[in-house]
């Protein structure tokens, strides 16, 4: 089966009646239905960033999780499998708290697939609550290592299409639960907690904790043998599968399960050793050098190098409201200093966040850290910690943004996108968004500062502004601006008149958005030189003319 480039198929599940299969498309936000020959027989657009998918035992209902949440609740879509029509949205509400050592507020995010109970009455969904309502600007309370993100499991009544809020399980001292599985009898469930390198076992209906099964690096997927005798765990970053003897556990004889063996799954590792080690460090919240009490790691907000789609209150850090930036395509320091206010000048500066915000002990010795390195723009940290250097190697390896699904099948621009590239040039967007990453690596005040924008490195943003974000992969990084106040690219242009975009007509703005949605690793950067010759995608050869003016003959000819 071959899908168009950029659609990013993720979840695949076969209907029990063997008449169809269903695939989620991260790139296009669709659920796709296939017949037994692999031919596409149905499509349904659900929303951006859909991933997890499951099918009911009678093959009549399909459940799709929206991985990154918007607004004040998470969503699981229920779809009629035959007609491919949306039946309803199952909401996972914002948790109003309180914030305690064993519980916390937050929006359910990073939702895993809804797993249906053996009796078909209920389902459970993993996720993490992001406490975006907390912070010195938002409510006067600083974010802490244990109040920023809380792992959770939600229980859903499938008949009513509602979460059983009283059964929401707030996992303590853990990070990144990504998938779960029921026992064959449905009386217990297993949770793969990727950031903690463990599988947690709970009693269904009470959430009573039964056992913790240590695994190798980053367990992400689970399967239980139909007789309950074996649990198989895919360890994503260990490149292995752990096999546990769970017969006594699933039959109520014991609360423990022995590791039988670990099976390697990769013969030839594609990642360089330093990159793989760095990725393991990136995920691992269980290391006390990374995180106090095991709640936070880099992957908690940047799973697989991406972003969580949320706006955080970092006022306590000397910053302000900050929209999480995707690391994909940035190549580490490839687009200059890091963050919205360019406050890190090397990747090893994340030592500061690890110590100050994660509560970790840090990967540098205290002596090295205190020797002029508390200032991230001070004495360099590179070369002093193998773990930090490996972390830097991993982030530097993220050179490719997601391929855009908005291009034509052969990778070229559509007619509207080609015209939008012309509008991009005419508005002189390349003045700031230039080069291969579409960023000049400088800070500008473009009129987006608002209450809550805070400071940059504890210094006023007035006159300094915000670092120019790169545009590669921008189609998948909503919301926009440092404060996330633009929900769509059209709002960036129309509501904020960004770059003088309102000088363009409605049609030209649509064309510009079409072009912006195509920018990925295959798009050539547009030079800041206004007289540069571009390729044959319909771009002006003479940027001195005014292509936004329909009365300008020279532009009409081009």
């Amino acid at each position: 089966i071959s899908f168009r480039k950029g659609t990013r198929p993720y979840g695949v599940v076969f209907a029990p009646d063997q008449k169809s299969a269903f695939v989620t498309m991260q790139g296009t936000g669709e659920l796709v239905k296939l017949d037994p020959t692999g031919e596409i027989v149905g499509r349904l657009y659900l929303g951006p960033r859909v991933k997890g998918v499951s099918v009911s035992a009678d093959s009549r209902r399909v459940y799709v999780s929206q991985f990154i949440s918007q607004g004040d609740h998470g969503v699981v879509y229920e779809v009629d499998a035959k007609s491919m029509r949306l039946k309803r949205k199952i909401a996972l509400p914002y948790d109003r708290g309180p914030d305690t050592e064993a519980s916390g507020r937050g929006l359910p995010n990073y939702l895993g697939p809804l797993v249906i109970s053996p009796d078909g009455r209920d389902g459970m969904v993993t996720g993490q609550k992001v406490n975006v309502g907390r912070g010195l600007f938002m409510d006067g309370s600083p974010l802490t290592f244990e109040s920023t993100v809380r792992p959770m499991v939600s229980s859903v009544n499938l008949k009513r299409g509602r979460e059983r809020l009283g059964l929401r399980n707030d996992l303590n001292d853990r990070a990144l639960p990504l998938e779960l599985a029921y026992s064959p009898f449905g009386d217990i469930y297993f949770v793969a907690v990727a950031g903690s390198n463990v599988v947690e076992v709970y009693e269904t209906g009470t959430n009573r904790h039964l056992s913790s099964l240590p695994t190798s690096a980053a367990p992400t997927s689970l399967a239980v043998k139909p007789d309950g005798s074996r649990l198989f765990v895919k360890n994503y970053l260990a490149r292995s599968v752990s096999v546990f003897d769970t017969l006594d556990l699933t039959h109520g004889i014991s609360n423990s399960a022995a590791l039988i063996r670990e099976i390697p799954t990769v013969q030839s590792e594609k990642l360089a050793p330093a990159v793989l080690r760095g990725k393991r460090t990136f995920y691992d919240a269980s290391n006390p050098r990374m995180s106090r009490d095991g709640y936070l790691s880099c992957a908690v907000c940047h799973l697989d190098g991406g972003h969580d789609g949320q706006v955080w209150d970092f006022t306590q850090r000397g910053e302000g409201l900050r929209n999480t930036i995707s690391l994909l395509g940035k190549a580490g320091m490839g687009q200059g200093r890091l963050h919205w206010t360019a406050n890190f000048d090397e990747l090893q500066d994340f030592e500061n966040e690890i110590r100050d915000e994660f509560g970790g002990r840090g990967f540098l010795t205290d002596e090295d850290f205190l020797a002029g390195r508390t200032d991230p723009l001070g004495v360099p940290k590179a070369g002093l910690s193998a773990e930090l250097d490996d972390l830097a190697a991993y982030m530097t390896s993220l050179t490719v943004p997601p391929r855009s699904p908005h291009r034509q099948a052969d990778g070229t621009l559509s007619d509207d996108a080609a015209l939008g590239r012309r509008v991009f040039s005419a508005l002189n967007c390349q003045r700031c968004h230039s080069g291969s990453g579409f960023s000049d690596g400088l800070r500008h005040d473009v009129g987006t500062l608002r209450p809550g924008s805070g400071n940059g490195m504890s210094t006023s943003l007035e006159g300094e502004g915000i670092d120019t974000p790169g545009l590669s992969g921008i189609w998948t990084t909503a919301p926009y601006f440092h404060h996330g106040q633009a929900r769509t690219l059209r709002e960036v242009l129309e509501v904020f008149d960004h770059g003088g975009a309102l000088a363009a007509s409605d049609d030209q703005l649509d064309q510009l958005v079409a072009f912006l949605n195509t920018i990925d690793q295959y798009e050539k950067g547009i030079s800041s030189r206004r007289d540069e010759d571009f390729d044959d995608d319909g771009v002006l050869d003479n940027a001195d003319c005014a292509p936004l003016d329909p009365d300008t003959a020279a532009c009409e000819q081009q």
Side-chain angles (χ1 to χ4, degrees), residues 237-270:
L237 295 180
R239 312 304 203 223
S240 68
V241 171
S242 296
V243 185
F244 290 90
D245 182 348
T246 52
L247 186 63
D248 288 350
L249 179 58
T250 58
H251 286 71
I253 299 173
S254 169
N255 283 350
S256 62
L259 176 66
I260 300 174
R261 56 178 169 165
E262 189 162 332
I263 306 169
T265 59
V266 173
Q267 290 184 336
S268 179
E269 175 61 51
K270 291 186 177 182

Coordinates of all heavy atoms in Angstrom, one line a residue, residues 237-270:
L237 N 13.7 2.6 22.5 CA 15.1 3.1 22.4 C 16.1 2.0 22.8 O 17.3 2.3 22.7 CB 15.3 4.4 23.2 CG 14.5 5.6 22.6 CD1 14.7 6.8 23.4 CD2 14.9 5.8 21.2
A238 N 15.7 0.9 23.3 CA 16.6 -0.2 23.6 C 16.7 -1.1 22.3 O 17.5 -2.0 22.3 CB 16.2 -1.0 24.8
R239 N 15.8 -0.9 21.4 CA 15.7 -1.7 20.2 C 15.5 -3.2 20.6 O 16.2 -4.1 20.1 CB 16.9 -1.6 19.3 CG 17.4 -0.1 19.0 CD 16.3 0.7 18.4 NE 16.9 1.8 17.6 CZ 16.4 3.1 17.7 NH1 15.4 3.4 18.5 NH2 17.0 4.0 17.0
S240 N 14.5 -3.4 21.4 CA 14.3 -4.7 21.9 C 12.8 -4.9 22.3 O 12.0 -4.0 22.4 CB 15.1 -5.0 23.1 OG 14.7 -4.2 24.2
V241 N 12.5 -6.2 22.5 CA 11.1 -6.6 23.1 C 11.4 -7.4 24.4 O 12.1 -8.4 24.4 CB 10.3 -7.4 22.1 CG1 9.1 -8.0 22.8 CG2 9.9 -6.6 20.9
S242 N 10.8 -6.9 25.5 CA 10.9 -7.6 26.7 C 9.7 -8.6 26.9 O 8.6 -8.2 26.5 CB 10.9 -6.7 27.9 OG 12.0 -5.8 27.9
V243 N 10.0 -9.8 27.3 CA 8.9 -10.8 27.5 C 8.8 -11.1 29.0 O 9.8 -11.6 29.6 CB 9.2 -12.1 26.7 CG1 8.0 -13.1 26.8 CG2 9.5 -11.7 25.2
F244 N 7.6 -10.9 29.6 CA 7.4 -11.2 31.0 C 6.4 -12.4 31.1 O 5.5 -12.6 30.3 CB 6.7 -10.0 31.7 CG 7.7 -8.8 31.8 CD1 7.8 -7.8 30.8 CD2 8.4 -8.7 33.0 CE1 8.6 -6.7 31.0 CE2 9.3 -7.6 33.1 CZ 9.4 -6.6 32.1
D245 N 6.7 -13.2 32.2 CA 5.8 -14.3 32.5 C 4.7 -13.7 33.4 O 4.9 -13.3 34.6 CB 6.5 -15.4 33.3 CG 5.7 -16.5 33.7 OD1 4.4 -16.4 33.6 OD2 6.2 -17.6 34.1
T246 N 3.5 -13.5 32.9 CA 2.4 -12.8 33.6 C 1.3 -13.7 34.0 O 0.2 -13.3 34.4 CB 1.9 -11.6 32.8 OG1 1.5 -12.1 31.5 CG2 2.9 -10.5 32.6
L247 N 1.5 -15.1 33.9 CA 0.4 -16.0 34.2 C -0.2 -15.8 35.6 O -1.4 -15.7 35.8 CB 0.9 -17.4 33.9 CG -0.2 -18.5 34.1 CD1 -1.3 -18.3 33.0 CD2 0.4 -19.9 34.0
D248 N 0.7 -15.8 36.6 CA 0.2 -15.7 38.0 C -0.3 -14.3 38.2 O -1.3 -14.2 38.9 CB 1.4 -15.9 38.9 CG 1.8 -17.4 39.0 OD1 1.1 -18.2 38.4 OD2 2.9 -17.7 39.6
L249 N 0.2 -13.3 37.6 CA -0.3 -11.9 37.7 C -1.7 -11.8 37.2 O -2.6 -11.2 37.8 CB 0.7 -10.9 37.1 CG 0.3 -9.5 37.1 CD1 0.2 -9.0 38.5 CD2 1.4 -8.6 36.4
T250 N -1.9 -12.3 36.0 CA -3.2 -12.1 35.4 C -4.3 -13.1 36.0 O -5.5 -12.8 35.8 CB -3.2 -12.4 33.8 OG1 -2.7 -13.7 33.6 CG2 -2.3 -11.3 33.2
H251 N -3.8 -14.1 36.6 CA -4.8 -15.0 37.3 C -5.0 -14.8 38.8 O -5.6 -15.6 39.5 CB -4.4 -16.5 37.0 CG -4.6 -17.0 35.6 ND1 -3.9 -16.5 34.6 CD2 -5.5 -17.8 35.1 CE1 -4.3 -17.1 33.5 NE2 -5.3 -17.9 33.8
G252 N -4.4 -13.6 39.2 CA -4.6 -13.2 40.6 C -3.9 -14.0 41.7 O -4.2 -14.0 42.9
I253 N -2.8 -14.7 41.2 CA -2.0 -15.5 42.2 C -0.9 -14.7 42.8 O -0.5 -14.9 43.9 CB -1.5 -16.8 41.5 CG1 -2.6 -17.7 40.9 CG2 -0.6 -17.6 42.4 CD1 -2.2 -18.8 40.1
S254 N -0.4 -13.8 42.0 CA 0.8 -13.0 42.5 C 0.7 -11.6 41.8 O 0.1 -11.4 40.8 CB 2.1 -13.7 42.0 OG 3.2 -12.8 42.2
N255 N 1.3 -10.7 42.5 CA 1.4 -9.3 41.9 C 2.7 -9.0 41.2 O 3.0 -7.9 40.9 CB 1.2 -8.3 43.0 CG -0.3 -8.1 43.4 OD1 -1.1 -8.7 42.7 ND2 -0.5 -7.4 44.5
S256 N 3.5 -10.0 41.0 CA 4.8 -9.9 40.4 C 4.8 -10.6 39.0 O 4.0 -11.5 38.8 CB 6.0 -10.3 41.3 OG 5.8 -11.7 41.5
A257 N 5.8 -10.3 38.2 CA 6.0 -11.0 36.9 C 7.4 -11.0 36.6 O 8.1 -9.9 36.6 CB 5.2 -10.3 35.8
A258 N 7.9 -12.1 36.3 CA 9.4 -12.3 36.0 C 9.7 -12.0 34.5 O 8.9 -12.3 33.6 CB 9.8 -13.7 36.3
L259 N 10.8 -11.3 34.3 CA 11.3 -11.1 33.0 C 11.9 -12.4 32.5 O 12.9 -12.9 33.0 CB 12.4 -10.0 33.0 CG 13.1 -9.7 31.6 CD1 12.1 -9.2 30.6 CD2 14.2 -8.8 31.8
I260 N 11.4 -12.9 31.4 CA 11.8 -14.2 30.8 C 13.1 -14.0 29.9 O 14.1 -14.6 30.0 CB 10.7 -14.9 30.0 CG1 9.6 -15.2 30.9 CG2 11.3 -16.2 29.3 CD1 8.4 -15.8 30.2
R261 N 12.9 -13.0 29.0 CA 14.0 -12.7 28.1 C 13.8 -11.3 27.4 O 12.7 -10.8 27.5 CB 14.2 -13.8 27.0 CG 13.0 -14.0 26.2 CD 13.2 -15.1 25.2 NE 12.0 -15.5 24.5 CZ 11.9 -16.2 23.4 NH1 13.0 -16.5 22.8 NH2 10.8 -16.6 22.9
E262 N 14.9 -10.8 26.8 CA 14.8 -9.6 26.0 C 15.3 -9.9 24.6 O 16.4 -10.4 24.5 CB 15.6 -8.5 26.7 CG 15.4 -7.1 26.0 CD 15.8 -6.0 26.9 OE1 15.8 -6.2 28.2 OE2 16.2 -4.9 26.4
I263 N 14.5 -9.7 23.6 CA 14.8 -10.0 22.3 C 15.2 -8.8 21.5 O 14.4 -7.8 21.3 CB 13.5 -10.7 21.6 CG1 13.0 -11.8 22.4 CG2 13.8 -11.1 20.2 CD1 11.6 -12.3 22.0
P264 N 16.4 -8.8 20.9 CA 16.9 -7.7 20.1 C 16.0 -7.6 18.8 O 15.6 -8.6 18.3 CB 18.3 -8.0 19.7 CG 18.7 -9.1 20.8 CD 17.5 -9.8 21.1
T265 N 15.7 -6.4 18.4 CA 14.9 -6.2 17.2 C 15.6 -5.5 16.1 O 15.1 -5.4 15.0 CB 13.6 -5.4 17.6 OG1 14.0 -4.1 18.1 CG2 12.8 -6.1 18.6
V266 N 16.8 -5.1 16.3 CA 17.6 -4.3 15.3 C 19.0 -5.0 15.2 O 19.7 -5.1 16.1 CB 17.8 -2.8 15.6 CG1 18.7 -2.1 14.7 CG2 16.4 -2.2 15.7
Q267 N 19.3 -5.4 13.9 CA 20.6 -5.9 13.7 C 21.7 -4.9 13.4 O 22.8 -5.0 13.7 CB 20.6 -7.0 12.5 CG 19.8 -8.2 12.9 CD 19.8 -9.2 11.8 OE1 20.0 -8.9 10.6 NE2 19.7 -10.5 12.1
S268 N 21.2 -3.9 12.6 CA 22.2 -2.8 12.3 C 21.5 -1.4 12.6 O 20.6 -1.0 12.0 CB 22.4 -2.9 10.7 OG 23.3 -1.8 10.3
E269 N 22.0 -0.8 13.6 CA 21.5 0.5 14.1 C 21.8 1.6 13.1 O 23.0 1.8 12.7 CB 22.1 0.8 15.5 CG 21.7 2.2 16.0 CD 20.2 2.3 16.2 OE1 19.6 1.4 16.8 OE2 19.7 3.3 15.7
K270 N 20.8 2.4 12.7 CA 21.0 3.4 11.8 C 21.6 4.7 12.4 O 22.2 5.5 11.8 CB 19.7 3.7 11.0 CG 19.3 2.6 10.1 CD 18.1 3.0 9.3 CE 17.7 1.9 8.3 NZ 16.5 2.3 7.5

